[in-house]
Amino acid sequence: MLYLNDDIAGFNFEAALPLLSEQRRLQALKFKHEQGRKTCAMAYLLLCEALRQEYGITELPVFEFGEHGKPFIVGHPDIHFNFSHCSEAVICVVSNRPVGVDVESIREYRDSLVRYTMNDQEVQQIERAERPDVEFIRLWTMKEAVLKLSGRGIVDDLKHVLTDAKTSELTTVVDPEVRYVYSICRL
């Protein structure tokens, strides 16, 4: 299930602090800027909401981390989740199978970045799009969701992430107001 909050400005970080586990509270407080503190707390609270609604779990989740830093919930190896955030939104996806998610704000189109991260077919697809900036972000979030699913994170060969992906489900959603795009990838 998908849980999303795009009211970062309206989020009260101080009121949220007592709702976080000690582990997450310490992590949130390490962020230098308010935006980072807020999105860290918001992602955790979205996970807590998902665990309550989907699994009836009310205790605060504590994380351990895999080889490449992907978190998992202590005591619940059967529950898979992933977070992402951008300046516009925070997203959490919870599933009974491995999952990756990415959300990105629409930003200025940079040809050099497109050519560095996309293969020839993807570059053509972006260039033909009505909104190349949106199409680039859509493809980027797909790539990042695939990489986060595996727990690998950003790799050297970004151009072939989607062609090499062994996933059964990849979903992309563009916000109706075109402020952000998110993609979810499941095995």
Side-chain angles (χ1 to χ4, degrees), residues 50-94:
L51 293 174
R52 272 192 310 279
Q53 289 188 18
E54 306 300 322
Y55 298 95
I57 297 171
T58 57
E59 71 262 10
L60 296 177
V62 174
F63 304 139
E64 286 191 7
F65 300 89
E67 178 183 352
H68 300 288
K70 186 172 182 175
F72 60 92
I73 303 168
V74 173
H76 297 282
D78 56 324
I79 299 174
H80 302 270
F81 73 97
N82 202 225
F83 302 131
S84 186
H85 58 83
C86 64
S87 61
E88 302 287 340
V90 177
I91 192 168
C92 176
V93 176
V94 177

mmCIF file of all heavy atoms in Angstrom, residues 50-94:
data_model
loop_
_atom_site.group_PDB
_atom_site.id
_atom_site.type_symbol
_atom_site.label_atom_id
_atom_site.label_comp_id
_atom_site.label_asym_id
_atom_site.label_seq_id
_atom_site.Cartn_x
_atom_site.Cartn_y
_atom_site.Cartn_z
ATOM 1 N N ALA A 50 0.908 2.947 8.097
ATOM 2 C CA ALA A 50 0.752 1.766 7.237
ATOM 3 C C ALA A 50 0.778 0.485 8.059
ATOM 4 O O ALA A 50 -0.043 -0.428 7.830
ATOM 5 C CB ALA A 50 1.862 1.742 6.186
ATOM 6 N N LEU A 51 1.693 0.400 9.005
ATOM 7 C CA LEU A 51 1.784 -0.809 9.835
ATOM 8 C C LEU A 51 0.521 -1.006 10.663
ATOM 9 O O LEU A 51 0.046 -2.141 10.824
ATOM 10 C CB LEU A 51 3.015 -0.741 10.735
ATOM 11 C CG LEU A 51 4.363 -0.799 10.017
ATOM 12 C CD1 LEU A 51 5.505 -0.569 11.001
ATOM 13 C CD2 LEU A 51 4.535 -2.106 9.267
ATOM 14 N N ARG A 52 -0.051 0.087 11.186
ATOM 15 C CA ARG A 52 -1.308 -0.008 11.943
ATOM 16 C C ARG A 52 -2.446 -0.459 11.039
ATOM 17 O O ARG A 52 -3.186 -1.381 11.371
ATOM 18 C CB ARG A 52 -1.668 1.352 12.557
ATOM 19 C CG ARG A 52 -1.091 1.615 13.909
ATOM 20 C CD ARG A 52 -1.711 2.834 14.597
ATOM 21 N NE ARG A 52 -1.748 4.042 13.781
ATOM 22 C CZ ARG A 52 -0.727 4.865 13.612
ATOM 23 N NH1 ARG A 52 0.437 4.608 14.173
ATOM 24 N NH2 ARG A 52 -0.844 5.945 12.873
ATOM 25 N N GLN A 53 -2.585 0.203 9.904
ATOM 26 C CA GLN A 53 -3.719 -0.078 9.022
ATOM 27 C C GLN A 53 -3.617 -1.430 8.331
ATOM 28 O O GLN A 53 -4.611 -2.135 8.193
ATOM 29 C CB GLN A 53 -3.868 1.029 7.983
ATOM 30 C CG GLN A 53 -4.360 2.315 8.586
ATOM 31 C CD GLN A 53 -4.692 3.361 7.522
ATOM 32 O OE1 GLN A 53 -4.872 3.066 6.361
ATOM 33 N NE2 GLN A 53 -4.778 4.606 7.955
ATOM 34 N N GLU A 54 -2.438 -1.794 7.868
ATOM 35 C CA GLU A 54 -2.283 -3.009 7.065
ATOM 36 C C GLU A 54 -2.029 -4.263 7.901
ATOM 37 O O GLU A 54 -2.403 -5.356 7.496
ATOM 38 C CB GLU A 54 -1.123 -2.844 6.067
ATOM 39 C CG GLU A 54 -1.227 -1.620 5.181
ATOM 40 C CD GLU A 54 -2.472 -1.593 4.319
ATOM 41 O OE1 GLU A 54 -2.888 -2.656 3.828
ATOM 42 O OE2 GLU A 54 -3.042 -0.497 4.140
ATOM 43 N N TYR A 55 -1.354 -4.094 9.057
ATOM 44 C CA TYR A 55 -0.922 -5.266 9.822
ATOM 45 C C TYR A 55 -1.372 -5.239 11.286
ATOM 46 O O TYR A 55 -1.093 -6.180 12.025
ATOM 47 C CB TYR A 55 0.613 -5.388 9.780
ATOM 48 C CG TYR A 55 1.148 -5.585 8.381
ATOM 49 C CD1 TYR A 55 1.583 -4.497 7.626
ATOM 50 C CD2 TYR A 55 1.218 -6.851 7.807
ATOM 51 C CE1 TYR A 55 2.079 -4.671 6.339
ATOM 52 C CE2 TYR A 55 1.710 -7.037 6.531
ATOM 53 C CZ TYR A 55 2.138 -5.939 5.804
ATOM 54 O OH TYR A 55 2.616 -6.122 4.533
ATOM 55 N N GLY A 56 -2.015 -4.180 11.725
ATOM 56 C CA GLY A 56 -2.439 -4.081 13.119
ATOM 57 C C GLY A 56 -1.279 -3.905 14.094
ATOM 58 O O GLY A 56 -1.428 -4.133 15.291
ATOM 59 N N ILE A 57 -0.127 -3.494 13.605
ATOM 60 C CA ILE A 57 1.063 -3.309 14.441
ATOM 61 C C ILE A 57 1.046 -1.899 15.018
ATOM 62 O O ILE A 57 0.999 -0.921 14.275
ATOM 63 C CB ILE A 57 2.353 -3.543 13.625
ATOM 64 C CG1 ILE A 57 2.402 -4.992 13.140
ATOM 65 C CG2 ILE A 57 3.585 -3.184 14.444
ATOM 66 C CD1 ILE A 57 3.514 -5.277 12.154
ATOM 67 N N THR A 58 1.090 -1.821 16.344
ATOM 68 C CA THR A 58 1.033 -0.511 16.984
ATOM 69 C C THR A 58 2.352 -0.101 17.622
ATOM 70 O O THR A 58 2.530 1.078 17.951
ATOM 71 C CB THR A 58 -0.078 -0.472 18.051
ATOM 72 O OG1 THR A 58 0.163 -1.516 18.997
ATOM 73 C CG2 THR A 58 -1.454 -0.639 17.412
ATOM 74 N N GLU A 59 3.281 -1.045 17.830
ATOM 75 C CA GLU A 59 4.571 -0.651 18.412
ATOM 76 C C GLU A 59 5.385 0.112 17.375
ATOM 77 O O GLU A 59 5.230 -0.100 16.167
ATOM 78 C CB GLU A 59 5.351 -1.846 18.963
ATOM 79 C CG GLU A 59 5.919 -2.774 17.918
ATOM 80 C CD GLU A 59 5.070 -4.019 17.651
ATOM 81 O OE1 GLU A 59 3.935 -4.109 18.121
ATOM 82 O OE2 GLU A 59 5.573 -4.901 16.931
ATOM 83 N N LEU A 60 6.228 0.987 17.860
ATOM 84 C CA LEU A 60 7.053 1.789 16.963
ATOM 85 C C LEU A 60 8.126 0.908 16.322
ATOM 86 O O LEU A 60 8.845 0.203 17.031
ATOM 87 C CB LEU A 60 7.715 2.938 17.728
ATOM 88 C CG LEU A 60 6.769 3.983 18.326
ATOM 89 C CD1 LEU A 60 7.560 5.012 19.119
ATOM 90 C CD2 LEU A 60 5.931 4.633 17.245
ATOM 91 N N PRO A 61 8.231 0.948 15.002
ATOM 92 C CA PRO A 61 9.228 0.101 14.341
ATOM 93 C C PRO A 61 10.657 0.579 14.609
ATOM 94 O O PRO A 61 10.916 1.777 14.670
ATOM 95 C CB PRO A 61 8.877 0.226 12.861
ATOM 96 C CG PRO A 61 8.098 1.477 12.742
ATOM 97 C CD PRO A 61 7.420 1.699 14.053
ATOM 98 N N VAL A 62 11.533 -0.396 14.759
ATOM 99 C CA VAL A 62 12.964 -0.143 14.895
ATOM 100 C C VAL A 62 13.622 -0.788 13.693
ATOM 101 O O VAL A 62 13.222 -1.878 13.256
ATOM 102 C CB VAL A 62 13.511 -0.745 16.216
ATOM 103 C CG1 VAL A 62 15.020 -0.613 16.297
ATOM 104 C CG2 VAL A 62 12.834 -0.069 17.407
ATOM 105 N N PHE A 63 14.626 -0.128 13.152
ATOM 106 C CA PHE A 63 15.250 -0.595 11.917
ATOM 107 C C PHE A 63 16.610 -1.228 12.159
ATOM 108 O O PHE A 63 17.351 -0.822 13.044
ATOM 109 C CB PHE A 63 15.458 0.568 10.937
ATOM 110 C CG PHE A 63 14.217 1.324 10.591
ATOM 111 C CD1 PHE A 63 14.250 2.694 10.485
ATOM 112 C CD2 PHE A 63 13.015 0.684 10.375
ATOM 113 C CE1 PHE A 63 13.119 3.421 10.156
ATOM 114 C CE2 PHE A 63 11.874 1.394 10.048
ATOM 115 C CZ PHE A 63 11.921 2.759 9.936
ATOM 116 N N GLU A 64 16.905 -2.189 11.314
ATOM 117 C CA GLU A 64 18.260 -2.655 11.067
ATOM 118 C C GLU A 64 18.478 -2.409 9.588
ATOM 119 O O GLU A 64 17.535 -2.131 8.845
ATOM 120 C CB GLU A 64 18.428 -4.119 11.447
ATOM 121 C CG GLU A 64 18.468 -4.310 12.954
ATOM 122 C CD GLU A 64 18.883 -5.705 13.369
ATOM 123 O OE1 GLU A 64 19.273 -6.519 12.516
ATOM 124 O OE2 GLU A 64 18.796 -5.972 14.577
ATOM 125 N N PHE A 65 19.731 -2.530 9.144
ATOM 126 C CA PHE A 65 20.038 -2.151 7.775
ATOM 127 C C PHE A 65 20.794 -3.257 7.063
ATOM 128 O O PHE A 65 21.673 -3.901 7.643
ATOM 129 C CB PHE A 65 20.852 -0.842 7.778
ATOM 130 C CG PHE A 65 20.078 0.281 8.421
ATOM 131 C CD1 PHE A 65 20.152 0.512 9.791
ATOM 132 C CD2 PHE A 65 19.243 1.075 7.663
ATOM 133 C CE1 PHE A 65 19.423 1.521 10.387
ATOM 134 C CE2 PHE A 65 18.507 2.084 8.247
ATOM 135 C CZ PHE A 65 18.594 2.316 9.615
ATOM 136 N N GLY A 66 20.422 -3.457 5.791
ATOM 137 C CA GLY A 66 21.057 -4.462 4.962
ATOM 138 C C GLY A 66 22.437 -4.027 4.507
ATOM 139 O O GLY A 66 22.927 -2.942 4.865
ATOM 140 N N GLU A 67 23.044 -4.869 3.706
ATOM 141 C CA GLU A 67 24.414 -4.671 3.237
ATOM 142 C C GLU A 67 24.651 -3.292 2.620
ATOM 143 O O GLU A 67 25.687 -2.680 2.810
ATOM 144 C CB GLU A 67 24.745 -5.753 2.211
ATOM 145 C CG GLU A 67 26.109 -5.641 1.602
ATOM 146 C CD GLU A 67 26.359 -6.689 0.529
ATOM 147 O OE1 GLU A 67 25.534 -7.596 0.352
ATOM 148 O OE2 GLU A 67 27.392 -6.572 -0.145
ATOM 149 N N HIS A 68 23.682 -2.806 1.856
ATOM 150 C CA HIS A 68 23.841 -1.514 1.180
ATOM 151 C C HIS A 68 23.042 -0.399 1.867
ATOM 152 O O HIS A 68 22.796 0.640 1.263
ATOM 153 C CB HIS A 68 23.427 -1.637 -0.285
ATOM 154 C CG HIS A 68 24.238 -2.644 -1.035
ATOM 155 N ND1 HIS A 68 25.555 -2.430 -1.375
ATOM 156 C CD2 HIS A 68 23.923 -3.885 -1.478
ATOM 157 C CE1 HIS A 68 26.019 -3.488 -2.009
ATOM 158 N NE2 HIS A 68 25.053 -4.382 -2.079
ATOM 159 N N GLY A 69 22.605 -0.643 3.097
ATOM 160 C CA GLY A 69 21.929 0.400 3.861
ATOM 161 C C GLY A 69 20.422 0.400 3.782
ATOM 162 O O GLY A 69 19.775 1.259 4.374
ATOM 163 N N LYS A 70 19.827 -0.549 3.057
ATOM 164 C CA LYS A 70 18.359 -0.581 2.979
ATOM 165 C C LYS A 70 17.793 -1.026 4.328
ATOM 166 O O LYS A 70 18.188 -2.066 4.861
ATOM 167 C CB LYS A 70 17.893 -1.528 1.878
ATOM 168 C CG LYS A 70 16.378 -1.480 1.677
ATOM 169 C CD LYS A 70 15.936 -2.250 0.471
ATOM 170 C CE LYS A 70 14.433 -2.119 0.315
ATOM 171 N NZ LYS A 70 13.954 -2.740 -0.910
ATOM 172 N N PRO A 71 16.868 -0.246 4.897
ATOM 173 C CA PRO A 71 16.332 -0.597 6.211
ATOM 174 C C PRO A 71 15.310 -1.732 6.147
ATOM 175 O O PRO A 71 14.629 -1.917 5.141
ATOM 176 C CB PRO A 71 15.658 0.699 6.667
ATOM 177 C CG PRO A 71 15.293 1.401 5.409
ATOM 178 C CD PRO A 71 16.342 1.020 4.401
ATOM 179 N N PHE A 72 15.220 -2.477 7.241
ATOM 180 C CA PHE A 72 14.148 -3.445 7.419
ATOM 181 C C PHE A 72 13.707 -3.372 8.873
ATOM 182 O O PHE A 72 14.433 -2.860 9.737
ATOM 183 C CB PHE A 72 14.554 -4.851 6.985
ATOM 184 C CG PHE A 72 15.728 -5.430 7.732
ATOM 185 C CD1 PHE A 72 15.532 -6.200 8.876
ATOM 186 C CD2 PHE A 72 17.023 -5.212 7.296
ATOM 187 C CE1 PHE A 72 16.603 -6.729 9.563
ATOM 188 C CE2 PHE A 72 18.107 -5.748 7.978
ATOM 189 C CZ PHE A 72 17.889 -6.507 9.122
ATOM 190 N N ILE A 73 12.498 -3.834 9.141
ATOM 191 C CA ILE A 73 11.905 -3.701 10.466
ATOM 192 C C ILE A 73 12.305 -4.903 11.316
ATOM 193 O O ILE A 73 12.043 -6.049 10.942
ATOM 194 C CB ILE A 73 10.368 -3.591 10.377
ATOM 195 C CG1 ILE A 73 9.978 -2.403 9.495
ATOM 196 C CG2 ILE A 73 9.758 -3.467 11.767
ATOM 197 C CD1 ILE A 73 8.503 -2.372 9.116
ATOM 198 N N VAL A 74 12.919 -4.626 12.451
ATOM 199 C CA VAL A 74 13.319 -5.681 13.376
ATOM 200 C C VAL A 74 12.067 -6.459 13.809
ATOM 201 O O VAL A 74 11.057 -5.866 14.195
ATOM 202 C CB VAL A 74 14.038 -5.077 14.608
ATOM 203 C CG1 VAL A 74 14.314 -6.151 15.655
ATOM 204 C CG2 VAL A 74 15.320 -4.384 14.188
ATOM 205 N N GLY A 75 12.134 -7.785 13.712
ATOM 206 C CA GLY A 75 11.038 -8.647 14.140
ATOM 207 C C GLY A 75 9.951 -8.864 13.107
ATOM 208 O O GLY A 75 9.006 -9.607 13.363
ATOM 209 N N HIS A 76 10.069 -8.213 11.955
ATOM 210 C CA HIS A 76 9.046 -8.352 10.913
ATOM 211 C C HIS A 76 9.704 -8.523 9.542
ATOM 212 O O HIS A 76 9.537 -7.670 8.651
ATOM 213 C CB HIS A 76 8.114 -7.139 10.902
ATOM 214 C CG HIS A 76 7.345 -6.974 12.170
ATOM 215 N ND1 HIS A 76 6.237 -7.730 12.474
ATOM 216 C CD2 HIS A 76 7.551 -6.156 13.242
ATOM 217 C CE1 HIS A 76 5.776 -7.381 13.654
ATOM 218 N NE2 HIS A 76 6.558 -6.422 14.146
ATOM 219 N N PRO A 77 10.444 -9.614 9.341
ATOM 220 C CA PRO A 77 11.145 -9.797 8.067
ATOM 221 C C PRO A 77 10.212 -9.986 6.879
ATOM 222 O O PRO A 77 10.629 -9.821 5.735
ATOM 223 C CB PRO A 77 11.988 -11.055 8.310
ATOM 224 C CG PRO A 77 11.248 -11.793 9.378
ATOM 225 C CD PRO A 77 10.629 -10.731 10.253
ATOM 226 N N ASP A 78 8.939 -10.274 7.134
ATOM 227 C CA ASP A 78 7.957 -10.482 6.071
ATOM 228 C C ASP A 78 7.335 -9.177 5.574
ATOM 229 O O ASP A 78 6.620 -9.166 4.573
ATOM 230 C CB ASP A 78 6.854 -11.414 6.563
ATOM 231 C CG ASP A 78 6.185 -10.908 7.838
ATOM 232 O OD1 ASP A 78 6.893 -10.317 8.694
ATOM 233 O OD2 ASP A 78 4.969 -11.107 7.993
ATOM 234 N N ILE A 79 7.612 -8.074 6.257
ATOM 235 C CA ILE A 79 7.052 -6.779 5.853
ATOM 236 C C ILE A 79 8.164 -5.985 5.164
ATOM 237 O O ILE A 79 9.208 -5.723 5.747
ATOM 238 C CB ILE A 79 6.509 -5.993 7.061
ATOM 239 C CG1 ILE A 79 5.387 -6.789 7.745
ATOM 240 C CG2 ILE A 79 6.007 -4.617 6.614
ATOM 241 C CD1 ILE A 79 4.882 -6.165 9.038
ATOM 242 N N HIS A 80 7.906 -5.610 3.923
ATOM 243 C CA HIS A 80 8.869 -4.837 3.135
ATOM 244 C C HIS A 80 8.346 -3.417 2.993
ATOM 245 O O HIS A 80 7.143 -3.199 2.842
ATOM 246 C CB HIS A 80 9.052 -5.478 1.758
ATOM 247 C CG HIS A 80 9.519 -6.886 1.851
ATOM 248 N ND1 HIS A 80 10.838 -7.231 1.874
ATOM 249 C CD2 HIS A 80 8.820 -8.051 1.941
ATOM 250 C CE1 HIS A 80 10.954 -8.537 1.964
ATOM 251 N NE2 HIS A 80 9.745 -9.057 2.013
ATOM 252 N N PHE A 81 9.259 -2.451 3.020
ATOM 253 C CA PHE A 81 8.841 -1.059 2.868
ATOM 254 C C PHE A 81 9.971 -0.269 2.232
ATOM 255 O O PHE A 81 11.116 -0.713 2.168
ATOM 256 C CB PHE A 81 8.474 -0.441 4.234
ATOM 257 C CG PHE A 81 9.655 -0.169 5.104
ATOM 258 C CD1 PHE A 81 10.218 1.095 5.162
ATOM 259 C CD2 PHE A 81 10.221 -1.184 5.864
ATOM 260 C CE1 PHE A 81 11.322 1.345 5.957
ATOM 261 C CE2 PHE A 81 11.326 -0.936 6.665
ATOM 262 C CZ PHE A 81 11.877 0.326 6.711
ATOM 263 N N ASN A 82 9.628 0.915 1.767
ATOM 264 C CA ASN A 82 10.615 1.831 1.237
ATOM 265 C C ASN A 82 10.056 3.238 1.342
ATOM 266 O O ASN A 82 8.844 3.438 1.230
ATOM 267 C CB ASN A 82 10.956 1.473 -0.209
ATOM 268 C CG ASN A 82 12.294 1.988 -0.661
ATOM 269 O OD1 ASN A 82 12.428 2.533 -1.745
ATOM 270 N ND2 ASN A 82 13.328 1.832 0.153
ATOM 271 N N PHE A 83 10.947 4.216 1.596
ATOM 272 C CA PHE A 83 10.594 5.627 1.705
ATOM 273 C C PHE A 83 11.241 6.394 0.567
ATOM 274 O O PHE A 83 12.282 6.008 0.059
ATOM 275 C CB PHE A 83 11.221 6.285 2.943
ATOM 276 C CG PHE A 83 10.911 5.727 4.260
ATOM 277 C CD1 PHE A 83 11.948 5.460 5.148
ATOM 278 C CD2 PHE A 83 9.620 5.521 4.676
ATOM 279 C CE1 PHE A 83 11.692 4.994 6.425
ATOM 280 C CE2 PHE A 83 9.355 5.050 5.950
ATOM 281 C CZ PHE A 83 10.396 4.782 6.824
ATOM 282 N N SER A 84 10.664 7.554 0.293
ATOM 283 C CA SER A 84 11.321 8.540 -0.550
ATOM 284 C C SER A 84 10.711 9.896 -0.227
ATOM 285 O O SER A 84 9.593 9.981 0.298
ATOM 286 C CB SER A 84 11.134 8.218 -2.038
ATOM 287 O OG SER A 84 11.897 9.096 -2.838
ATOM 288 N N HIS A 85 11.448 10.944 -0.541
ATOM 289 C CA HIS A 85 10.910 12.289 -0.338
ATOM 290 C C HIS A 85 11.603 13.241 -1.298
ATOM 291 O O HIS A 85 12.686 12.971 -1.816
ATOM 292 C CB HIS A 85 11.086 12.768 1.105
ATOM 293 C CG HIS A 85 12.504 12.786 1.562
ATOM 294 N ND1 HIS A 85 13.359 13.825 1.292
ATOM 295 C CD2 HIS A 85 13.220 11.879 2.244
ATOM 296 C CE1 HIS A 85 14.535 13.559 1.809
ATOM 297 N NE2 HIS A 85 14.488 12.376 2.385
ATOM 298 N N CYS A 86 10.923 14.325 -1.542
ATOM 299 C CA CYS A 86 11.469 15.425 -2.337
ATOM 300 C C CYS A 86 10.953 16.703 -1.692
ATOM 301 O O CYS A 86 10.342 16.652 -0.626
ATOM 302 C CB CYS A 86 11.034 15.299 -3.805
ATOM 303 S SG CYS A 86 9.254 15.443 -4.084
ATOM 304 N N SER A 87 11.148 17.834 -2.309
ATOM 305 C CA SER A 87 10.691 19.088 -1.708
ATOM 306 C C SER A 87 9.167 19.217 -1.711
ATOM 307 O O SER A 87 8.616 20.046 -0.992
ATOM 308 C CB SER A 87 11.318 20.285 -2.426
ATOM 309 O OG SER A 87 10.936 20.285 -3.781
ATOM 310 N N GLU A 88 8.498 18.374 -2.485
ATOM 311 C CA GLU A 88 7.044 18.462 -2.616
ATOM 312 C C GLU A 88 6.272 17.414 -1.827
ATOM 313 O O GLU A 88 5.110 17.625 -1.505
ATOM 314 C CB GLU A 88 6.653 18.304 -4.093
ATOM 315 C CG GLU A 88 7.267 19.312 -5.011
ATOM 316 C CD GLU A 88 6.664 20.682 -4.882
ATOM 317 O OE1 GLU A 88 5.539 20.805 -4.373
ATOM 318 O OE2 GLU A 88 7.328 21.645 -5.281
ATOM 319 N N ALA A 89 6.874 16.241 -1.560
ATOM 320 C CA ALA A 89 6.100 15.139 -0.995
ATOM 321 C C ALA A 89 7.002 14.122 -0.306
ATOM 322 O O ALA A 89 8.199 14.022 -0.598
ATOM 323 C CB ALA A 89 5.295 14.444 -2.097
ATOM 324 N N VAL A 90 6.367 13.360 0.584
ATOM 325 C CA VAL A 90 6.997 12.220 1.251
ATOM 326 C C VAL A 90 6.127 11.012 0.948
ATOM 327 O O VAL A 90 4.895 11.111 0.982
ATOM 328 C CB VAL A 90 7.082 12.448 2.778
ATOM 329 C CG1 VAL A 90 7.660 11.230 3.474
ATOM 330 C CG2 VAL A 90 7.888 13.693 3.083
ATOM 331 N N ILE A 91 6.768 9.885 0.648
ATOM 332 C CA ILE A 91 6.026 8.695 0.264
ATOM 333 C C ILE A 91 6.602 7.479 0.988
ATOM 334 O O ILE A 91 7.806 7.407 1.228
ATOM 335 C CB ILE A 91 6.070 8.510 -1.274
ATOM 336 C CG1 ILE A 91 5.094 7.458 -1.753
ATOM 337 C CG2 ILE A 91 7.456 8.226 -1.760
ATOM 338 C CD1 ILE A 91 4.909 7.459 -3.277
ATOM 339 N N CYS A 92 5.719 6.564 1.361
ATOM 340 C CA CYS A 92 6.107 5.294 1.967
ATOM 341 C C CYS A 92 5.268 4.211 1.306
ATOM 342 O O CYS A 92 4.053 4.373 1.156
ATOM 343 C CB CYS A 92 5.845 5.322 3.472
ATOM 344 S SG CYS A 92 6.175 3.744 4.299
ATOM 345 N N VAL A 93 5.916 3.127 0.916
ATOM 346 C CA VAL A 93 5.213 1.985 0.347
ATOM 347 C C VAL A 93 5.514 0.780 1.222
ATOM 348 O O VAL A 93 6.664 0.545 1.596
ATOM 349 C CB VAL A 93 5.648 1.721 -1.110
ATOM 350 C CG1 VAL A 93 4.978 0.483 -1.662
ATOM 351 C CG2 VAL A 93 5.323 2.923 -1.979
ATOM 352 N N VAL A 94 4.466 0.020 1.558
ATOM 353 C CA VAL A 94 4.585 -1.175 2.383
ATOM 354 C C VAL A 94 3.990 -2.333 1.596
ATOM 355 O O VAL A 94 2.949 -2.190 0.949
ATOM 356 C CB VAL A 94 3.850 -0.988 3.729
ATOM 357 C CG1 VAL A 94 3.899 -2.244 4.562
ATOM 358 C CG2 VAL A 94 4.438 0.180 4.493
#
